[in-house]
Amino acid sequence: MIAVDGPAASGKGTIAKALAKHFGLPHMDTGLLYRAVALNLWRWGGDPASEFEALRASDMLSIDPADEELRSEPVSRIASSISAYPSVRAALRERQLQFMEQPGGAVLDGRDIGTVIAPGADVKLFVTASPEVRAQRRVRELLERGMPAHYDDVLADIRDRDERDCGREIAPLRPASDAILLDTSNLDRDAAVGEAICLVDQRLASKRI
Ligand code: CDP
């Protein structure tokens, strides 16, 4: 079981997907769960300031990962605020545990995988990059998807989300004490993936001794 955590646009999703492919494991992007709750709530016109309404939006959650709206900025913002609700996190926890516990293992990426969901994971990676680099990446990603994106707005949004994700009381974003840190600020996609595979191999080898 491999846990990959980190802030918005740090490269954790790309790294987790590549690790899953390399090690032949299934992969879950847990951010999509929070985004799906946010999208549900948004479509109903529910109030993100109400924990009760956010919890209702997490009922019977069906997720279409191809739905472009999951990655839109309003949905990202709502996802970041509703993810602070303990009842919403508890509702989504079960799905993550089921996925994690499947025979043969899995790769999960998110904010609290190494600290809360899978504290006993074989390997924990904590992926970071500077806010400026992350904003540049997110702008490129949004433009490639044909969505509007302005660097200053995206940077402000990333700083906002960092503050909310790190400052919340429940499951705040932080590296587990036994996590391996990987700063991707100066690494391109291939270099970051190569480094991650190398770090995971090393950690697995040290566990086998
Ligand atoms: O891709 P990006 O890092 O921008 O976001 P994401 O991983 O899709 O997560 C969207 C939001 O869900 C984040 O801002 C977090 O607040 C929240 N989240 C969380 O609280 N716990 C997780 N395990 C995954 C995401």
Side-chain angles (χ1 to χ4, degrees):
M1 153 73 207
I2 302 173
V4 184
D5 290 302
S10 55
K12 65 181 183 311
T14 304
I15 286 174
K17 224 175 287 163
L19 286 174
K21 194 167 168 216
H22 181 83
F23 291 99
L25 296 170
H27 164 234
M28 179 185 250
D29 168 0
T30 65
L32 274 188
L33 300 175
Y34 294 90
R35 288 174 179 274
V37 173
L39 182 57
N40 258 349
L41 191 69
W42 194 49
R43 286 193 172 142
W44 290 350
D47 180 5
S50 157
E51 179 166 3
F52 178 73
E53 290 185 23
L55 181 61
R56 270 190 51 198
S58 49
D59 242 19
M60 314 264 290
L61 200 60
S62 69
I63 303 168
D64 172 10
D67 190 333
E68 286 290 331
E69 277 197 305
L70 282 171
R71 292 171 183 89
S72 68
E73 282 311 294
V75 169
S76 305
R77 222 164 297 139
I78 298 171
S80 162
S81 67
I82 56 98
S83 65
Y85 295 136
S87 61
V88 172
R89 300 202 73 85
L92 299 179
R93 185 164 184 263
E94 207 46 46
R95 281 174 93 119
Q96 297 173 68
L97 292 183
Q98 268 174 19
F99 191 87
M100 175 192 117
E101 282 160 3
Q102 58 191 304
V107 180
L108 276 77
D109 76 84
R111 300 287 191 286
D112 63 338
I113 308 303
T115 49
V116 175
I117 300 293
D122 301 300
V123 187
K124 298 175 187 175
L125 278 187
F126 193 86
V127 184
T128 57
S130 70
E132 291 77 14
V133 168
R134 290 188 282 131
Q136 279 164 11
R137 287 182 189 157
R138 189 45 53 96
V139 167
R140 212 177 312 131
E141 197 181 305
L142 288 168
L143 292 177
E144 275 167 16
R145 290 177 193 273
M147 293 178 172
H150 300 284
Y151 176 79
D152 290 343
D153 297 344
V154 172
L155 178 60
D157 194 68
I158 279 190
R159 289 192 196 280
D160 255 23
R161 281 214 281 151
D162 281 357
E163 215 174 285
R164 265 199 304 272
D165 287 349
C166 297
R168 68 184 174 214
E169 246 166 70
I170 178 163
L173 172 66
R174 61 174 175 81
S177 57
D178 54 347
I180 312 166
L181 301 187
L182 173 56
D183 187 335
T184 66
S185 300
N186 298 312
L187 302 177
D188 66 13
R189 187 197 172 284
D190 289 350
V193 166
E195 182 65 18
I197 291 174
C198 194
L199 291 170
V200 171
D201 272 335
Q202 278 171 8
R203 181 58 66 97
L204 289 175
S206 74
K207 289 202 156 196
R208 265 182 232 117
I209 295 166

